Amino acid sequence: RMGLRTAEEAYQGLARQPVQSIVICGESGAGKTVTNRKMLEYLVEVSKGDAPPTSTLGKSKPKSSSGGTEQITVANELLESFGNATTTRNDNSSRFGKLTSLYFDKDSLSIAGCGVSHYLLERSRIVGAPNLERNYHVFYQLIRGSDAAKYKLEPDAKKYVYSKEGADICMADDVKEYENLVKSMDTAGFDEAARAYVFQSIAAVLHLGNVRFTGDHDKSKMDDATSASMATACSLLGVDAAKLTAAMTSKTTKVAGRDIRSDVSLAQAESQRDTVAKMIYSCIFDWIVTEIDTKLTRSRASGLAGSATIGLLDIFGFEDMKINGFEQLFINFTNERIQHLFNTVMFEREKQVYQDEGINADFLGAPKNIECVELFLGKPRVPGIVTLLSSQCRTGQEDEAVDGEKFCSVLNRQFAGNKFFVVSTPQEVNALMKRKGLKVAGGIAKLSFKECFEIKHYAGNITYTVQNFISKSRDSLLPHLAEVMRGSTNKDIGALFPEDSESKMTVGEKFKHQLESLAETLQKGDTLFVRCIKSNAQKVSGFVDRPMVLEQLICGGVVAALEMRAAGLPDRMEYGVFCLEFGLLERGKPHKELKARCQMILNDLLGEDAAVAHVYALGQTKVFMKSGILAFLRAAARFKTAVLARRIHRNLKGARVRKVDRAWERISETEKLAQDRGLSDLKQVKEAIQMGKEFIGPVYKALSDARQAHGKNWEPIIKALQPHEEALKRVSEVSVRVEHTVAKYDKRKSEIEQIFYYRISSSMDELMELMGIVESVEGEITDCADIAEPAELERCTTACKDARKLIAQLRNETLPALKQRGPPIANLEDEDAEADERRKEAASVCPEADELVEKVRTAVRDAEDHSYAVLKVRRMFAKALAELKPGEDAARTKLEDLQGAAGRCIAEGMEEIVNAIALASQLSDDLEDLLRESKDPDTYRTKAAAFSQAVDAAEKAVEKGKEELARREKERAEKRRLYGVLENISAQVQESLETLRAERIMGEVIRQDAANLESIATEIWNLRQAASEDLAPFKAKVEALNEKALKLVGNVEEHIEADRQRRRESFKNRVNIFGSAVGASAPTMGKTKTMPAAAETPEEDASDPATWIEHQALGKYKSELMELHSAIKRLQSAGVPRSTVQTAAKRFMDITFNMKFSPADR
């Protein structure tokens, strides 16, 4: 409902702002996809013109074509088959982001068209889903659909490697879903040929997954048993099977301009097969999205010019999987960027409300996470994770040489000092694996701390594992594989891999541009947010996990937004509405002015100093109040309303009639309560009800007779009640007395029941505790089964079974029956002092339950006694533990203290120290495993001694390496400074090169300057690659290059001017040959130069920058631009070269307007 309300708000908002955006966010499984679908359906329906009047803007709207609007909704839904999958958190999880842009006619607000774009499809899923999850829906729909045989597929998902995981997960009927998919594609404009192209490509991906290879670390070949799968895949793709097989089992390297082909290992061949499959599927997905966008946009292109827009962004939710990799990194940073937008929008909206009303809003403070966003995207001259990853991809080295721990070490060195980046230590990674259940049999870890790093996201800290980041970053096939695919006889397949595909941006760079473009789109107009909340992790209805919901509200920034608002004056009302609701609280004659009336009411109730204390504030049209003030005012208004109502009520003739009705109703309800609660046989209850009926009954009968005779004519009804005048005075009193009598005995019975039920509940709790003991004994004897005597083990097992049987009988049969029967109720009417205690004591005793509970206790003790013999080894272990635990705890404390040093050493690549700490951490982990099993005291003693020694060794290594660590950190800081110097040189060199390239005619000096600058640019690039070079020679090279560059850059402007002057003199001399009759001017670089009139010279125009700023509609940046203008003037007057002024201005722009200017304004 809230989603539809937001959709309506966006639709209504088109009248004032033609660009509206709705961001649908929340964690995986919270309902974003369904919300997006429902909002899209609503907007399409509303725009047809047959919606209710409240859903329109009061304009006449012609109906849109029903076929066109249906095409929009169906086209968006069909993408779910290709981009959604079943995960452990969500049955229909979107594994890509989608922006649906609805275009509306500005006059009629009917649908004019639709555009669709997508972000970051999860490619790793294509070649196999994680455990207990499904691959993309379309795989199963195609395999089980009616056309499976057409694409040479068998109707069993388990027979295909890419779909076998999740084949048994029960979802919707895939056969029926395939039929619906075909219909949806037909409705969306995909003809039979297009559908065949899509399905045969996806079928080829499934067949490719079944291709196996054999080999070793040096070479590989296709397994002949899978040649049929390769042949089928290639026939569907239209490529030569022999060529594709050869390409997958080899690689091509350029040497001296020639392609040299060599064999690849088994792992590389399998990786190249999976890469081909992923690229085919992702390219097909891109093609489907592009086709939908084209069909929905171009079909109505004539109506899109100048149209209003509502964008619906369905973006993947924040994820923390068991192992977070490449996809989770990009997904979570997308959410981080969206969160930054949410924080900014909420803050700006709140601030604008105060400013519009003329109230100072300096007290507001917005939560900030821009530094975390910059960690990913980077900032001017400081590379982010995306840039570093792209650089690794372009080194030309094998993936193994730059991926995994190699790339992680690059990140550790670059971001070790960043407050949002955490270098993962061995102990932290071990703790993470335990928390997530990632330890496997034998104590072998699934994660290595050398491949892990942690990011402090707004929504929480997440540890990422660097595995296959490089291969996943490439957005194209290797050249020799792409060449085979381009040779397809199917032109559409070949077109998926164009000639220039190898030079594309990386996935990260592409996504970075998409993300910033998306952010720019969302910031153009009004942005609304829909926060989807997941009620529980079990995916069951009717259950709300409150801590989980609260965590989502906190991590999503909702609580922070509310806190920001609550810190101010959250309750607001227009003056007219306020006076209408609270005018009755006003004392004296009402003031004519609404604002003054408001102030008088608040001062009367809150005190004269309330405004000074910021309890409330008066704006231009509204009153703003602190939280709680509005509730207080409404309570006061209700109280005064009730007082006035009672005064009026006493003066109305119908009051007596209603008094009799209420009294008789109270008697009837009391009698029903007594019957329902089994109290009607009690003497005093029976007498009280009888008395009440006899006293009020005649009055009620007279009233009923009068109503029947006279209807709603009050005069004769009141006259008919006059004989009962005395009884009328006491009907309320009598009915209340009866009610109190029954309530007294009901309370006594409730107290007895409460004691009895508590007794039953206590027995149930004790049974649960006893069951816990039994389960503990069973667990322990199971752990020790391999070292226990069989006879002793059998006796203990039997005793546990007997105890379980008794517990089950008592818990499932006896206690529920006793609870159903209820407590013994007796002597409720006894009024003496000890009667109450006697009743409570009787209720607290339940002999039947006590007897059975005692039997269970005996059975559990018996099981424990038998386990004593079985657990001899455990006792020996406990003895060892008592001896060694204090020393182990002390060593653990030392190890914990070393974690900070471990992170610093990892960042600086001090392997010896890191390995010493890692060994101690691993031994600590081993000790915990032994403690969990508690059956090998000798190994425990050995490991405990080794652990203490390892910790001491690690401590000594850290102490010994402190000086070296400080030196390396200092060196890294200095290198970072030098990289900044290189970036500054690079910027100046590029500025100078651009200036030189603008010169159409270059003299020898200018050409030499350009060559020198190009040479410096090359030297800068070479120095950037020399990250591992020692500091001293690196620093010397940078400083020498800086001096050389500054000198050259400083001379460029002078050389240009000198070259121009030389050409002028040369031209003048040549002209003078023809005599003074010929008038000429110096060359003007091919441009006709017309001097402006004196009043319109550029100098005079530029002398009034304020006018220029207003003329360019840049008033919101006026103070900064005036500061820039003043600085430029001072530099020029000091004689600073023009190129240097340009460089300074550019840096000023970068620092001051980094996140402010749109590209157009910049």
Side-chain angles (χ1 to χ4, degrees):
R1 292 176 183 173
M2 292 302 295
L4 299 185
R5 176 180 172 182
T6 305
E8 177 66 17
E9 185 179 345
Y11 186 68
Q12 299 283 352
L14 292 174
R16 68 174 189 282
Q17 168 55 259
V19 179
Q20 299 282 329
S21 298
I22 302 174
V23 180
I24 307 165
C25 41
E27 74 169 51
S28 180
K32 300 183 296 297
T33 299
V34 173
T35 301
N36 178 72
R37 190 189 308 156
K38 295 296 182 184
M39 293 174 74
L40 186 64
E41 290 172 356
Y42 179 83
L43 289 168
V44 168
E45 189 65 29
V46 162
S47 69
K48 289 180 180 178
D50 51 1
T54 55
S55 297
T56 70
L57 298 174
K59 300 179 180 180
S60 61
K61 297 185 288 186
K63 288 193 177 185
S64 302
S65 164
S66 61
T69 52
E70 182 187 7
Q71 191 180 36
I72 290 172
T73 55
V74 168
N76 275 272
E77 287 177 22
L78 75 84
L79 287 177
E80 293 180 20
S81 288
F82 298 94
N84 287 30
T86 299
T87 69
T88 53
R89 297 183 175 192
N90 186 1
D91 292 341
N92 188 35
S93 176
S94 295
R95 309 314 298 165
F96 70 107
K98 178 176 64 177
L99 177 65
T100 306
S101 300
L102 290 175
Y103 303 106
F104 297 83
D105 181 270
K106 276 193 174 181
D107 296 323
S108 65
L109 290 185
S110 59
I111 291 283
C114 177
V116 180
S117 54
H118 77 286
Y119 307 91
L120 194 70
L121 178 72
E122 184 185 24
R123 292 183 181 178
S124 61
R125 184 174 294 270
I126 297 166
V127 296
N131 188 34
L132 300 178
E133 296 187 1
R134 294 214 319 175
N135 211 318
Y136 291 109
H137 296 323
V138 70
F139 283 136
Y140 305 94
Q141 293 168 4
L142 183 59
I143 288 171
R144 293 164 179 160
S146 57
D147 293 330
K150 179 179 177 181
Y151 303 108
K152 301 178 183 178
L153 293 169
E154 297 183 52
D156 184 0
K158 290 183 179 179
K159 292 189 175 182
Y160 299 94
V161 173
Y162 291 166
S163 63
K164 68 179 181 180
E165 186 64 53
D168 293 328
I169 295 176
C170 295
M171 289 301 301
D173 184 351
D174 288 315
V175 176
K176 186 175 181 181
E177 288 299 317
Y178 177 75
E179 294 175 3
N180 293 338
L181 173 61
V182 172
K183 291 177 183 177
S184 297
M185 293 182 76
D186 183 55
T187 303
F190 290 85
D191 58 22
E192 188 174 350
R195 295 197 297 273
Y197 166 56
V198 170
F199 292 140
Q200 73 184 37
S201 300
I202 293 172
V205 169
L206 286 166
H207 288 296
L208 275 178
N210 282 5
V211 175
R212 294 194 304 271
F213 297 94
T214 60
D216 51 30
H217 294 294
D218 298 321
K219 60 181 180 179
S220 58
K221 67 174 184 175
M222 185 180 68
D223 186 343
D224 292 337
T226 61
S227 59
S229 295
M230 175 64 86
T232 303
C234 290
S235 68
L236 291 168
L237 295 171
V239 299
D240 186 288
K243 289 182 179 179
L244 185 58
T245 302
M248 286 183 178
T249 55
S250 65
K251 64 179 179 180
T252 301
T253 309
K254 276 194 177 296
V255 178
R258 295 175 54 203
D259 288 341
I260 305 298
R261 181 161 294 202
S262 57
D263 293 331
V264 298
S265 67
L266 172 60
Q268 289 174 315
E270 292 172 341
S271 174
Q272 294 196 141
R273 172 204 61 201
D274 290 345
T275 300
V276 171
K278 286 189 282 189
M279 287 305 300
I280 292 170
Y281 188 92
S282 60
C283 287
I284 287 294
F285 185 80
D286 291 346
W287 181 83
I288 292 171
V289 174
T290 302
E291 282 295 297
I292 290 174
D293 183 63
T294 301
K295 293 177 188 300
L296 296 180
T297 304
R298 289 185 182 174
S299 61
R300 300 167 176 229
S302 59
L304 297 186
S307 60
T309 309
I310 295 180
L312 293 170
L313 178 64
D314 175 12
I315 204 73
F316 14 60
F318 188 83
E319 290 188 349
D320 183 10
M321 316 297 280
K322 282 198 170 184
I323 298 178
N324 297 299
F326 182 86
E327 290 81 6
Q328 281 68 44
L329 179 67
F330 281 81
I331 285 171
N332 291 342
F333 268 112
T334 301
N335 280 270
E336 195 74 42
R337 186 67 181 88
I338 297 297
Q339 185 65 51
H340 174 256
L341 177 64
F342 175 80
N343 292 343
T344 304
V345 169
M346 292 297 103
F347 173 73
E348 292 298 332
R349 280 185 189 163
E350 189 71 4
K351 186 177 180 181
Q352 193 61 45
V353 170
Y354 288 99
Q355 290 177 343
D356 289 346
E357 291 290 322
I359 297 174
N360 190 341
D362 291 343
F363 58 86
L364 290 177
K368 295 179 180 178
N369 67 328
I370 186 60
E371 290 181 49
C372 188
V373 175
E374 290 172 344
L375 178 66
F376 183 65
L377 301 177
K379 51 186 178 181
R381 299 179 186 172
V382 179
I385 291 175
V386 171
T387 303
L388 292 174
L389 183 55
S390 299
S391 297
Q392 293 290 99
C393 292
R394 296 188 176 109
T395 58
Q397 300 181 61
E398 294 288 344
D399 289 358
E400 295 80 1
V402 291
D403 207 347
E405 63 181 71
K406 303 293 192 305
F407 179 58
C408 195
S409 67
V410 171
L411 297 180
N412 289 337
R413 285 196 304 272
Q414 181 70 25
F415 302 118
N418 191 300
K419 65 181 181 180
F420 289 93
F421 184 93
V422 179
V423 177
S424 292
T425 63
Q427 199 161 351
E428 289 168 345
V429 172
N430 282 340
L432 176 73
M433 287 191 292
K434 289 174 194 169
R435 195 165 62 247
K436 292 189 173 185
L438 290 175
K439 294 288 286 183
V440 296
I444 301 172
K446 284 189 176 182
L447 299 181
S448 166
F449 73 92
K450 294 182 179 180
E451 293 181 339
C452 295
F453 65 93
E454 185 178 325
I455 300 293
K456 294 182 178 179
H457 289 285
Y458 191 90
N461 292 13
I462 299 294
T463 297
Y464 297 96
T465 304
V466 182
Q467 292 175 350
N468 302 316
F469 270 35
I470 303 301
S471 59
K472 291 179 179 180
S473 291
R474 294 196 177 95
D475 200 32
S476 60
L477 291 176
L478 292 174
H480 70 292
L481 287 168
E483 184 180 353
V484 174
M485 298 305 298
R486 279 196 294 273
S488 171
T489 56
N490 185 329
K491 293 182 179 179
D492 292 327
I493 294 291
L496 296 176
F497 306 94
E499 288 281 354
D500 63 344
S501 63
E502 296 88 18
S503 61
K504 284 183 178 178
M505 294 186 291
T506 64
V507 171
E509 289 171 326
K510 183 178 177 181
F511 187 68
K512 175 182 175 181
H513 287 291
Q514 284 183 324
L515 191 56
E516 288 309 290
S517 174
L518 173 63
E520 186 180 334
T521 299
L522 296 176
Q523 289 171 323
K524 281 181 180 177
D526 290 346
T527 305
L528 303 171
F529 290 86
V530 175
R531 284 281 178 187
C532 296
I533 301 296
K534 190 173 183 177
S535 58
N536 62 78
Q538 291 74 32
K539 299 190 285 189
V540 296
S541 60
F543 168 57
V544 176
D545 185 341
R546 293 179 182 274
M548 180 180 175
V549 169
L550 179 60
E551 183 182 6
Q552 291 174 75
L553 293 173
I554 293 171
C555 294
V558 177
V559 171
L562 294 173
E563 287 175 345
M564 177 184 67
R565 179 164 179 166
L569 303 168
D571 293 327
R572 303 97 192 255
M573 296 182 78
E574 292 183 356
Y575 292 133
V577 176
F578 183 92
C579 292
L580 185 65
E581 185 171 351
F582 303 117
L584 78 166
L585 298 176
E586 193 173 6
R587 294 188 297 178
K589 186 177 180 182
H591 201 284
K592 291 182 180 180
E593 192 179 333
L594 293 176
K595 185 174 181 179
R597 286 184 68 189
C598 248
Q599 188 170 12
M600 289 174 63
I601 293 170
L602 289 168
N603 286 346
D604 285 343
L605 291 168
L606 306 177
E608 296 287 341
D609 58 345
V612 178
H614 299 291
V615 175
Y616 75 89
L618 299 174
Q620 296 175 6
T621 64
K622 297 176 183 176
V623 56
F624 291 69
M625 296 165 282
K626 276 281 187 186
S627 180
I629 300 301
L630 190 59
F632 168 72
L633 293 174
R634 283 176 174 155
R638 283 196 301 271
F639 177 76
K640 189 166 183 179
T641 301
V643 170
L644 295 174
R646 281 196 295 274
R647 289 179 184 172
I648 296 169
H649 187 262
R650 282 196 293 269
N651 296 324
L652 292 176
K653 293 181 179 180
R656 292 184 174 186
V657 172
R658 283 186 287 275
K659 181 196 276 188
V660 174
D661 285 335
R662 282 197 302 273
W664 185 253
E665 185 179 346
R666 188 178 287 126
I667 291 292
S668 300
E669 289 177 354
T670 302
E671 184 178 23
K672 186 176 185 305
L673 174 64
Q675 292 170 353
D676 293 343
R677 297 283 290 145
L679 303 172
S680 54
D681 291 335
L682 296 177
K683 181 181 177 183
Q684 293 190 36
V685 171
K686 188 185 296 183
E687 290 176 354
I689 292 174
Q690 186 64 32
M691 181 272 294
K693 283 183 172 182
E694 291 175 356
F695 187 86
I696 302 174
V699 183
Y700 185 72
K701 185 177 184 307
L703 175 60
S704 299
D705 294 342
R707 275 178 174 157
Q708 189 173 1
H710 306 292
K712 293 185 179 181
N713 190 347
W714 291 107
E715 293 295 337
I717 291 175
I718 297 299
K719 189 174 181 181
L721 291 176
Q722 284 179 353
H724 303 281
E725 189 68 32
E726 289 302 318
L728 277 170
K729 294 177 181 179
R730 295 184 57 214
V731 289
S732 294
E733 175 193 341
V734 170
S735 65
V736 169
R737 192 190 309 160
V738 173
E739 188 177 50
H740 285 178
T741 300
V742 174
K744 180 177 70 172
Y745 292 106
D746 182 47
K747 181 181 178 183
R748 286 180 183 176
K749 185 173 181 180
S750 295
E751 289 174 348
I752 293 171
E753 289 175 334
Q754 187 175 1
I755 294 169
F756 178 77
Y757 293 144
Y758 177 76
R759 177 68 187 83
I760 297 294
S761 177
S762 298
S763 297
M764 194 71 78
D765 291 342
E766 186 176 359
L767 287 178
M768 296 303 294
E769 291 177 8
L770 292 170
M771 178 59 82
I773 295 172
V774 172
E775 290 174 347
S776 176
V777 170
E778 289 175 333
E780 289 182 328
I781 64 174
T782 300
D783 290 341
C784 296
D786 55 338
I787 56 174
E789 289 290 335
E792 293 174 348
L793 187 65
E794 179 64 27
R795 283 193 292 272
C796 188
T797 302
T798 303
C800 288
K801 287 180 179 178
D802 293 342
R804 273 184 173 275
K805 185 176 179 181
L806 282 171
I807 292 171
Q809 179 186 351
L810 192 55
R811 186 174 59 186
N812 301 330
E813 298 174 14
T814 308
L815 291 182
L818 288 172
K819 189 174 182 180
Q820 182 69 27
R821 191 179 68 192
I825 304 296
N827 306 319
L828 281 180
E829 294 182 286
D830 289 352
E831 300 290 345
D832 59 275
E834 297 178 355
D836 194 43
E837 291 300 322
R838 288 198 302 272
R839 286 190 289 267
K840 291 180 180 179
E841 185 177 352
S844 65
V845 178
C846 185
E848 295 169 84
D850 293 342
E851 183 180 348
L852 278 172
V853 170
E854 184 56 39
K855 282 185 179 181
V856 172
R857 292 193 195 106
T858 303
V860 171
R861 280 196 297 270
D862 188 41
E864 287 182 304
D865 291 342
H866 284 299
S867 72
Y868 185 80
V870 176
L871 302 175
K872 287 181 289 188
V873 174
R874 285 285 169 92
R875 293 196 297 279
M876 293 170 63
F877 190 91
K879 183 179 178 181
L881 184 64
E883 293 174 14
L884 302 174
K885 196 70 168 73
E888 181 189 333
D889 290 342
R892 273 210 176 84
T893 302
K894 283 185 184 179
L895 182 60
E896 198 66 44
D897 293 339
L898 294 177
Q899 293 310 299
R904 293 166 61 197
C905 291
I906 291 170
E908 299 305 331
M910 300 178 71
E911 292 290 330
E912 186 177 343
I913 298 176
V914 172
N915 290 337
I917 296 173
L919 174 61
S921 182
Q922 182 58 51
L923 287 169
S924 172
D925 211 36
D926 294 343
L927 280 174
E928 290 187 9
D929 290 341
L930 288 169
L931 181 60
R932 202 160 33 247
E933 295 177 359
S934 299
K935 63 180 184 181
D936 192 349
D938 294 335
T939 303
Y940 177 75
R941 289 179 185 276
T942 304
K943 287 281 187 182
F947 173 58
S948 295
Q949 292 171 5
V951 170
D952 290 340
E955 191 175 37
K956 289 177 183 176
V958 169
E959 188 64 31
K960 184 179 177 182
K962 275 185 177 179
E963 187 176 334
E964 175 63 14
L965 178 61
R967 186 193 69 78
R968 291 195 185 192
E969 288 179 334
K970 184 177 179 181
E971 181 178 302
R972 181 161 57 86
E974 178 63 10
K975 275 194 174 182
R976 190 173 293 166
R977 184 190 70 79
L978 292 172
Y979 281 129
V981 172
L982 283 177
E983 294 297 332
N984 187 45
I985 297 172
S986 178
Q988 293 189 50
V989 166
Q990 291 304 318
E991 287 279 351
S992 297
L993 281 170
E994 289 173 13
T995 302
L996 289 175
R997 287 167 186 149
E999 294 292 308
R1000 294 190 180 183
I1001 302 174
M1002 290 189 184
E1004 184 61 33
V1005 175
I1006 299 299
R1007 283 196 294 274
Q1008 186 60 48
D1009 281 348
N1012 291 339
L1013 288 171
E1014 293 286 359
S1015 175
I1016 288 176
T1018 302
E1019 289 184 60
I1020 291 170
W1021 189 89
N1022 290 332
L1023 282 172
R1024 282 174 177 160
Q1025 308 310 308
S1028 59
E1029 188 174 358
D1030 290 341
L1031 176 62
F1034 181 74
K1035 183 176 181 180
K1037 290 177 183 177
V1038 172
E1039 289 177 346
L1041 184 63
N1042 186 38
E1043 184 178 349
K1044 178 181 175 183
L1046 289 176
K1047 183 177 179 181
L1048 182 58
V1049 168
N1051 291 335
V1052 164
E1053 193 71 27
E1054 295 175 13
H1055 290 173
I1056 290 174
E1057 187 56 39
D1059 194 58
R1060 288 175 179 172
Q1061 184 61 34
R1062 181 187 58 77
R1063 291 199 305 274
R1064 290 192 193 98
E1065 291 295 330
S1066 175
F1067 181 77
K1068 184 176 179 182
N1069 292 335
R1070 287 197 299 272
V1071 170
N1072 287 339
I1073 295 173
F1074 299 97
S1076 59
V1078 180
S1081 63
T1084 59
M1085 305 301 293
K1087 298 178 183 178
T1088 303
K1089 189 172 182 180
T1090 305
M1091 291 299 293
E1096 297 177 347
T1097 62
E1099 290 77 6
E1100 290 183 1
D1101 181 54
S1103 68
D1104 185 18
T1107 303
W1108 181 87
I1109 290 168
E1110 294 299 326
H1111 179 70
Q1112 297 294 331
L1114 294 172
K1116 57 184 176 180
Y1117 307 121
K1118 184 173 181 179
S1119 61
E1120 292 92 342
L1121 291 174
M1122 290 300 293
E1123 182 183 348
L1124 174 60
H1125 172 75
S1126 176
I1128 289 172
K1129 286 296 183 184
R1130 289 198 300 274
L1131 290 171
Q1132 288 174 337
S1133 63
V1136 176
R1138 181 168 174 266
S1139 62
T1140 305
V1141 175
Q1142 287 179 333
T1143 301
K1146 184 177 183 300
R1147 293 199 66 188
F1148 179 94
M1149 296 284 285
D1150 287 341
I1151 295 169
T1152 309
F1153 298 111
N1154 182 32
M1155 297 299 289
K1156 292 183 181 178
F1157 266 165
S1158 69
D1161 285 350
R1162 189 178 184 87

